[in-house]
Amino acid sequence: DKVLVAYRDDGNSYYGTSVILSISGTTITAGTPVVFESARSDYISATTLSSDKVLVAYRDDGNSSYGTSVVLSMPLNIDEGIIGIAKETKSAGENCKVSLGPITTGLSGLTAGNVYYMDTDGTLCTTKKYAKIGVAISTTELRQTIQEL
């Protein structure tokens, strides 16, 4: 019921962009577009690797027009919303402690003052992706301001 579409966004400096489309019967709803290449991207092609991964190949004009590829993940259940931040690393099916906010402690590698988002694989990143998660108030603490983009 979901498909990832990759394209060159002419309205955004020709950057390589992807969007997840949700399909219900004959209705198609587009999610939030995500830039996967911050340079002009041409000849974009995509193929499914698995139920949640898509390989996207393209000409990267920001890198001497070399052929480039990336694997993009389709987040599962993104439409169900984000409830908090995992406080520990676990495997699928295992119980996990989740911080519901307002401040998550015990993280590492954050930069105070940076805004953090959910990356395509569910980890934190500083590039605008699927949802704004919060602002780092130290290298180990995040003030949650979870918002779907």
Side-chain angles (χ1 to χ4, degrees):
D1 63 347
K2 293 182 190 270
V3 64
L4 184 140
V5 176
Y7 60 97
R8 181 183 75 189
D9 188 349
D10 291 4
N12 186 25
S13 302
Y14 305 100
Y15 287 177
T17 305
S18 66
V19 66
I20 294 177
L21 303 179
S22 297
I23 304 163
S24 178
T26 59
T27 302
I28 300 173
T29 306
T32 303
V34 175
V35 172
F36 63 82
E37 178 58 57
S38 297
R40 183 181 176 120
S41 303
D42 294 310
Y43 307 107
I44 298 172
S45 181
T47 188
T48 303
L49 295 176
S50 67
S51 63
D52 66 340
K53 298 206 183 298
V54 176
L55 175 76
V56 177
Y58 56 97
R59 183 176 79 183
D60 182 357
D61 286 4
N63 187 24
S64 302
S65 296
Y66 287 139
T68 305
S69 63
V70 294
V71 175
L72 302 178
S73 296
M74 292 180 39
L76 302 176
N77 302 323
I78 188 71
D79 297 329
E80 294 177 13
I82 300 164
I83 62 167
I85 298 173
K87 293 197 53 123
E88 53 194 356
T89 302
K90 294 289 184 171
S91 297
E94 292 183 311
N95 291 329
C96 180
K97 292 179 183 175
V98 175
S99 173
L100 300 177
I103 295 175
T104 299
T105 60
L107 302 172
S108 63
L110 303 176
T111 301
N114 278 2
V115 176
Y116 284 85
Y117 300 89
M118 183 179 76
D119 203 343
T120 55
D121 63 0
T123 60
L124 294 177
C125 69
T126 56
T127 304
K128 188 175 179 179
K129 298 282 182 162
Y130 290 103
K132 179 180 176 184
I133 300 300
V135 177
I137 55 176
S138 74
T139 58
T140 61
E141 297 175 305
L142 187 74
R143 177 177 304 283
Q144 292 184 35
T145 54
I146 296 173
Q147 302 172 329
E148 299 284 336
L149 297 179

